């Protein structure tokens, strides 16, 4: 998107919430937005803004528009919460211990965490193990999101 299109997007975001862009911060606001959304298609980013405005009582930040755009256009899968990821792992372990192959699809973050833990995965069971798994899982999911939402250089 061009700088002019980005400016239109920012003005529309503010106007959608009955606000105007503060004149004393206008230049830094425009620069911040452009730095985050410059590589997005204007029309599609505008549609994502409208989708957010329709459901959110709070004005979106440029990162909100970037995430919504990438999620809808690149079909980024939402990762389960750490608790749900732990439950999936417990089901996988239970299946393995029963001699049955786990049949449900395993989300990317859970799969990568399982590979990272290797053979130690099958010995997990207690609260301490759960807490350590969740910390590892959260780090893996953060890396997945950083890669998915990375902003390319101009």
């Amino acid at each position: 998107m061009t700088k002019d299109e980005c400016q239109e997007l920012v003005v529309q975001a503010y106007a959608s919430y009955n606000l105007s862009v503060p004149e004393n911060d206008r230049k830094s606001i425009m620069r911040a937005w452009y730095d985050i959304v410059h590589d997005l298609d204007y029309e599609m980013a505008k549609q994502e803004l409208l989708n957010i405005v329709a459901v959110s009582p709070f004005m979106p930040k440029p990162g909100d528009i970037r995430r919504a755009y990438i999620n809808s256009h690149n079909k980024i899968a939402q990762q389960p919460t750490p608790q749900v990821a732990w439950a999936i792992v417990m089901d996988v372990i239970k299946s393995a211990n029963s001699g049955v192959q786990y049949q449900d699809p395993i989300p990317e973050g859970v799969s990568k965490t399982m590979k990272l833990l290797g053979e130690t995965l099958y010995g997990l069971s207690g609260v301490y193990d759960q807490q350590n798994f969740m910390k590892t899982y959260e780090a893996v999911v953060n890396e997945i999101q950083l890669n998915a939402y990375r902003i390319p250089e101009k």
Side-chain angles (χ1 to χ4, degrees):
M1 101 174 40
T2 67
K3 287 185 178 184
D4 288 339
E5 289 171 333
C6 180
Q7 186 167 336
E8 285 180 38
L9 190 69
V10 173
V11 169
Q12 183 169 6
Y14 274 83
S16 296
Y17 290 88
N18 294 324
L19 300 170
S20 56
V21 180
E23 286 304 318
N24 55 340
D25 292 330
R26 186 179 189 88
K27 188 174 180 179
S28 60
I29 290 170
M30 295 302 172
R31 185 179 313 119
W33 275 70
Y34 185 73
D35 286 348
I36 295 173
V37 301
H38 70 273
D39 61 314
L40 307 181
D41 176 76
Y42 170 70
E43 289 300 327
M44 292 178 179
K46 182 178 174 182
Q47 185 59 51
E48 293 305 329
L49 169 64
L50 296 174
N51 292 342
I52 293 170
V53 167
V55 297
S56 177
F58 304 106
M59 189 178 111
K61 299 179 288 289
D64 297 330
I65 293 171
R66 179 174 195 79
R67 283 187 300 279
Y69 178 99
I70 291 171
N71 287 347
S72 68
H73 295 88
N74 295 339
K75 306 301 181 209
I76 302 294
Q78 185 71 20
Q79 297 298 315
T81 65
Q83 293 81 5
V84 172
W86 175 253
I88 291 169
V89 167
M90 290 294 96
D91 285 345
V92 169
I93 292 170
K94 182 179 172 184
S95 295
N97 289 339
S98 301
V100 177
Q101 186 160 355
Y102 187 75
Q103 297 297 319
D104 293 334
I106 298 175
E108 179 185 13
V110 177
S111 177
K112 285 186 175 186
T113 304
M114 290 170 64
K115 285 178 184 162
L116 188 64
L117 293 173
E119 289 298 316
T120 61
L121 174 78
Y122 296 99
L124 301 179
S125 63
V127 174
Y128 178 74
D129 291 333
Q130 179 183 11
Q131 291 170 344
N132 284 330
F133 170 84
M134 288 184 182
K135 285 180 188 175
T136 303
Y137 174 73
E138 287 172 339
V140 167
V141 169
N142 283 340
E143 187 173 325
I144 290 169
Q145 290 176 339
L146 281 173
N147 289 331
Y149 303 126
R150 185 171 308 282
I151 300 170
E153 293 183 29
K154 294 182 238 173

